[in-house]
Amino acid sequence: MEIKCKVNHCYNFYDKTRITDGLSFNANVPLTVKKTADVFVKKPVVKENATGFSAIMSKLKSYAKNYTRNIKHTYDHKIIFALVEKELFGKNSIDSFTHDLDKMILYILGFPKKFVSDFHRKHSVHHPESGKRPNLKSMLCDNIASSPEFKPEKKLSLREHYKTCKGLQSVIGLKSFLEKYNYGEDLNFTKINAEKNRKYQGMRGLAMGILHVAAGIISSLLILPR
C-alpha cells in the first residue's frame, strides 16, 4: 500500500501516515529524514526606477556640467582667437569681439550642443557650410585657434586639416592665404597660451571676459563695419 501526504517536518520513526512532502513509499519501511532548516534568502536591493527623482536629478547634474563646460570651451576659444588675430595682424578687428558670439548666447539660453553647432556653422562667415562670402582672416584665425596647441582634443594641425577638409579646400583663395601666413606655424603658441592664462584668470580675468563678450554684443547690435 502506498500513502501520500503533505507535512512540514518529519522525524526518525516508523509511521504510516506522516510522510514528507512529495515522497511516496510503502508502509513499514523505515524513514530517516532530518528536520529541515529554515533558509534565509537575502532580499535583493531594488534599484531605483530609472524615471525616479534621483535619476532625474542625476541627468540634470550631468546636463549642467556639460552646459557650463560648453560655455567655458567657447569662451576660451574666443580669447585665443583674439590673441591669435593680434599676433598675426598687429591689432584686433571687430571679429575678435563677435567671433562665436552666437554660440555663447545660445549656450547661455540653454540650447543643446548639436543645435548650437549646426546653427553656428550655417550662419558664420568663417565656416564654408554657411554659403556666405567667406572671411579669410577669420577663417585663418579660427582654424589656428582650433589647432592642437590650443585644443588638445584636436589631432591635426591646420596644414594637415586643410589637406583632409573638402569644405576648406572649396573656399576660393583660402589656400594661398594660408600659405602666406604659413598656416600660423610661425606663431609662438606657448606665449599665446601664457598670455591667456595671465590675463584671463581669476576675478580680473572674469571681468575682462565679461567686457569682451559685452563688447561683442554691442558691436553686433550696432552692426559695425568689419
Side-chain angles (χ1 to χ4, degrees), residues 23-48:
L23 291 180
S24 176
F25 55 90
N26 294 325
N28 300 321
V29 176
L31 174 67
T32 302
V33 182
K34 292 184 179 179
K35 182 177 180 179
T36 57
D38 291 332
V39 178
F40 294 93
V41 179
K42 184 178 180 181
K43 185 178 180 181
V45 177
V46 179
K47 294 183 179 179
E48 290 192 65

Side-chain angles (χ1 to χ4, degrees), residues 17-224:
T17 58
R18 304 184 68 183
I19 318 295
T20 189
D21 186 24
L23 291 180
S24 176
F25 55 90
N26 294 325
N28 300 321
V29 176
L31 174 67
T32 302
V33 182
K34 292 184 179 179
K35 182 177 180 179
T36 57
D38 291 332
V39 178
F40 294 93
V41 179
K42 184 178 180 181
K43 185 178 180 181
V45 177
V46 179
K47 294 183 179 179
E48 290 192 65
N49 193 323
T51 60
F53 179 76
S54 178
I56 293 174
M57 289 303 297
S58 177
K59 289 180 180 179
L60 286 176
K61 288 180 181 178
S62 176
Y63 178 80
K65 183 178 180 180
N66 291 330
Y67 169 80
T68 53
R69 184 172 58 211
N70 290 336
I71 293 176
K72 184 179 185 307
H73 191 267
T74 304
Y75 170 74
D76 288 343
H77 175 70
K78 278 178 61 62
I79 297 303
I80 291 295
F81 178 98
L83 295 174
V84 165
E85 185 187 47
K86 190 172 183 180
E87 284 292 314
L88 281 175
F89 305 108
K91 62 179 181 179
N92 285 127
S93 69
I94 194 64
D95 287 329
S96 67
F97 297 103
T98 60
H99 183 73
D100 284 6
L101 186 62
D102 59 334
K103 292 179 71 174
M104 286 287 293
I105 293 173
L106 290 173
Y107 278 136
I108 290 172
L109 292 177
F111 285 91
K113 183 176 182 179
K114 187 178 186 309
F115 173 84
V116 173
S117 180
D118 290 345
F119 179 89
H120 173 69
R121 287 181 173 274
K122 289 177 181 178
H123 296 84
S124 301
V125 294
H126 57 274
H127 286 292
E129 296 93 323
S130 69
K132 297 181 179 182
R133 182 180 178 182
N135 183 321
L136 299 185
K137 279 188 177 182
S138 186
M139 279 188 172
L140 172 63
C141 295
D142 178 58
N143 281 279
I144 293 174
S146 297
S147 61
E149 287 79 8
F150 304 118
K151 290 186 176 181
E153 70 273 15
K154 302 289 185 179
K155 303 304 179 184
L156 300 177
S157 67
L158 175 52
R159 186 184 296 272
E160 295 167 331
H161 176 56
Y162 180 81
K163 292 178 181 178
T164 62
C165 182
K166 299 297 183 182
L168 291 180
Q169 292 174 13
S170 69
V171 178
I172 297 174
L174 180 59
K175 183 178 181 181
S176 59
F177 194 77
L178 296 178
E179 290 173 345
K180 177 181 178 180
Y181 292 94
N182 197 30
Y183 294 85
E185 293 170 1
D186 297 331
L187 290 174
N188 188 332
F189 298 109
T190 302
K191 175 188 173 184
I192 293 173
N193 273 318
E195 187 173 359
K196 170 186 170 291
N197 294 331
R198 179 172 57 85
K199 288 186 176 180
Y200 295 92
Q201 292 289 335
M203 293 304 295
R204 178 175 178 271
L206 178 61
M208 290 186 68
I210 292 173
L211 290 174
H212 185 91
V213 174
I217 295 174
I218 294 171
S219 299
S220 297
L221 293 175
L222 295 176
I223 316 179
L224 295 178

